[in-house]
Amino acid sequence: MGELNLLVVDDSDVQRQFALDLCRTLGVPRLRDARNGALALDQLRQQRADVVIVDLEMPVMDGVELIRHIAKETLARAVIILSSKDPVLISSVGTMAEADGLPVLGTFNKPLKQDLLHCGLKQLDALTAQKDKSQRVEEVTARDIDIALRSGYLTLYYQPKLTGKGLLLKGVEALARWHDPVKGTISPDQFIAVAERHGLIDLLTRHLLEIALQQKQQWQRRGVSFNLAFNLSPLSLADLTLVDWIAQLTAQYGIAPGEITLEVTENALLGELASSIQTLARLRLKGFGVAIDDYGSGFANAQQLSRVPATELKIDRALVHNVATRPQQRTILQNTVEMAHQLQLVTVAEGVEHREDFDLLRQLNVELIQGYFLAKPMPADKLMQWMQTDLAPLRKQLR
Ligand code: G
Ligand code: G
Ligand code: MN
């Protein structure tokens, strides 16, 4: 628990002591407490905290108001929310906090449980690592992309998708990577959108698809077979020539369409619906798999989903991450999985980082699991090495 500085805010003496005792048991070195929101705010303004555990129902200033102040004045790095009220209410306060830029490590019903608290507090380190990463944002220009395409700076990494039961390697997702000799590694978040804005996305997509298919062909020649998933830009779905050139290229490399899955983000399916659906339907007719990506991050509803000719539903990291410490999120996830199964879709959980989440997902019958907990995206040669050396121990450990 390092140097952790934690504040417990609860109007009930008994509950407050209980939470403080749990924190002591977990070895939190610096502990403070406050009886209501107003007193907590005074304390935090004098000295900020790493984590504040907030009870929602309190006199003088309730937890909701306190959390807004903490977020607006950045008085803590993260909060944990407690209540004896309806889980949906607790969860919506959590959503509010995160919308204000305040990370939530857990939203729990009272009484607080030690293992849940421990699991929540452990997230803080990951949070810090993420922050450091997101601060380095560089602008990429259309010209840079053009040069990168010509110079071969763009490559693909591959992230395994494993079955929850048995940990079989069912597929990999290809993820674009840009290794620039001057700027270092540039993330797709920084160049896909620029390519889309400057009319370079088709060029980029073809370039990357060709790399992917070439790689797939090599694996095939070595007798290794698993599905390959490839991300398509929503813009590409409006392109009526897309299906033909994907089919052509796939055939050219001697790959069966059933071995390829095309991923499209949920939000792509909201706008230009008719032409998107036409494109996806034609891909399906030709035998390709179609995955709805980032499901749960946007606003697609079940009815819209049922109209999309998909084979797979990828549940967004936002619904998956820390699900084991958020009981109400678990309910949403469970319903999503059931709905997907009723629509005959294979479910994939994205962004699984913890053992606790992995165990829960397996229990909820999510077929495929993808995330740092099992394997990070890696270059093709690394993937082969990973299959040979890391996969068997992983299976043993998670049996
Ligand atoms: O690894 P990650 O940082 O790899 O990817 C960030 C985002 O970029 C994700 O939303 C992912 O879907 C998207 N992305 C990654 N590779 C590609 C690609 O080849 N094409 C498109 N259109 N999006 C990609
Ligand atoms: O949007 P899409 O699902 O295509 O993007 C996948 C993104 O998620 C990529 O940026 C990939 O690098 C990233 N990713 C994969 N596994 C994990 C994980 O366990 N945690 C986090 N934070 N990101 C992940
Ligand atoms: Mn994807």
Side-chain angles (χ1 to χ4, degrees):
M1 290 293 141
E3 287 291 286
L4 197 65
N5 171 344
L6 189 146
L7 174 69
V8 176
V9 193
D10 197 319
D11 60 313
S12 148
D13 292 338
V14 176
Q15 298 278 1
R16 203 170 62 247
Q17 276 313 322
F18 182 69
L20 287 168
D21 286 343
L22 282 185
C23 290
R24 272 187 212 107
T25 311
L26 291 173
V28 176
R30 286 184 288 162
L31 275 173
R32 291 182 285 169
D33 65 306
R35 232 176 328 109
N36 64 51
L39 291 172
L41 202 54
D42 286 344
Q43 285 203 31
L44 287 170
R45 282 176 178 151
Q46 277 168 33
Q47 195 199 355
R48 297 171 23 154
D50 291 312
V51 179
V52 183
I53 299 181
V54 186
D55 173 31
L56 286 188
E57 304 102 48
M58 291 182 297
V60 187
M61 178 190 287
D62 64 37
V64 179
E65 200 181 340
L66 175 62
I67 287 170
R68 292 223 79 161
H69 279 290
I70 295 175
K72 292 267 160 355
E73 301 174 37
T74 50
L75 296 171
R77 287 166 59 202
V79 290
I80 288 174
I81 301 169
L82 292 183
S83 175
S84 41
K85 283 265 184 317
D86 176 5
V88 176
L89 170 70
I90 316 181
S91 148
S92 63
V93 177
T95 307
M96 171 201 87
E98 292 198 323
D100 280 342
L102 178 64
V104 178
L105 302 180
T107 55
F108 305 123
N109 249 309
K110 283 187 179 180
L112 187 56
K113 297 201 181 56
Q114 183 173 327
D115 55 343
L116 292 181
L117 176 61
H118 188 216
C119 198
L121 290 176
K122 276 197 308 195
Q123 315 305 328
L124 198 62
D125 298 331
L127 214 71
T128 316
Q130 264 170 26
K131 268 250 173 71
D132 291 347
K133 232 168 126 191
S134 66
Q135 271 160 5
R136 277 187 277 124
V137 180
E138 279 196 49
E139 258 309 302
V140 163
T141 65
R143 192 167 166 270
D144 294 335
I145 295 177
D146 191 44
I147 296 171
L149 283 170
R150 288 166 202 274
S151 316
Y153 297 159
L154 290 165
T155 55
L156 289 171
Y157 275 32
Y158 302 89
Q159 186 177 36
K161 291 155 88 174
L162 301 177
T163 57
K165 306 216 165 80
L167 294 175
L168 305 173
L169 180 63
K170 267 298 154 78
V172 296
E173 176 177 2
L175 292 157
R177 292 292 181 265
W178 174 337
H179 297 295
D180 193 277
V182 181
K183 295 182 174 176
T185 301
I186 304 172
S187 138
D189 289 328
Q190 290 173 57
F191 63 84
I192 299 286
V194 180
E196 287 173 342
R197 279 202 300 276
H198 291 90
L200 291 169
I201 192 66
D202 286 344
L203 212 61
L204 184 75
T205 304
R206 276 174 202 246
H207 181 84
L208 291 172
L209 185 62
E210 198 141 356
I211 296 177
L213 292 172
Q214 216 158 20
Q215 187 55 61
K216 178 89 174 94
Q217 187 183 48
Q218 281 189 29
W219 284 325
Q220 206 160 284
R221 285 184 178 154
R222 283 198 241 162
V224 199
S225 99
F226 40 69
N227 188 280
L228 179 92
F230 185 86
N231 291 284
L232 283 182
S233 158
L235 291 185
S236 303
L237 297 185
D239 173 2
L240 295 176
T241 67
L242 178 88
V243 178
D244 290 329
W245 67 255
I246 290 182
Q248 209 170 25
L249 216 52
T250 307
Q252 194 184 311
Y253 282 95
I255 292 157
E259 299 269 286
I260 305 291
T261 300
L262 297 154
E263 299 196 358
V264 286
T265 171
E266 170 197 59
N267 283 327
L269 305 168
L270 298 178
E272 298 268 328
L273 206 61
S275 65
S276 302
I277 294 202
Q278 181 187 336
T279 299
L280 297 179
R282 290 190 56 223
L283 284 168
R284 281 294 309 282
L285 282 172
K286 291 193 184 290
F288 292 96
V290 168
I292 298 168
D293 206 357
D294 308 323
Y295 183 75
S297 69
F299 300 97
N301 60 39
Q303 198 197 3
Q304 284 163 323
L305 202 63
S306 70
R307 292 200 216 109
V308 179
T311 50
E312 191 175 295
L313 188 70
K314 299 194 75 177
I315 306 169
D316 191 66
R317 185 157 80 222
L319 267 182
V320 168
H321 188 67
N322 288 345
V323 66
T325 55
R326 300 186 185 199
Q328 44 312 319
Q329 195 174 314
R330 176 193 167 136
T331 310
I332 301 171
L333 190 81
Q334 197 164 1
N335 285 328
T336 304
V337 174
E338 271 167 29
M339 177 197 66
H341 287 161
Q342 274 161 18
L343 295 171
Q344 319 276 328
L345 299 171
V346 171
T347 49
V348 185
E350 301 183 299
V352 180
E353 294 188 13
H354 307 291
R355 173 77 199 244
E356 294 85 349
D357 294 337
F358 174 80
D359 288 338
L360 182 62
L361 290 160
R362 190 148 64 165
Q363 209 180 309
L364 293 178
N365 290 321
V366 174
E367 281 96 355
L368 299 176
I369 316 262
Q370 183 181 348
Y372 295 168
F373 174 65
L374 297 173
K376 290 196 168 176
M378 52 194 135
D381 53 341
K382 264 286 213 33
L383 180 71
M384 286 300 111
Q385 206 181 322
W386 177 86
M387 282 171 68
Q388 280 158 14
T389 59
D390 296 17
L391 189 54
L394 197 64
R395 281 188 187 134
K396 211 163 168 190
Q397 182 201 336
L398 298 174
R399 196 163 37 205

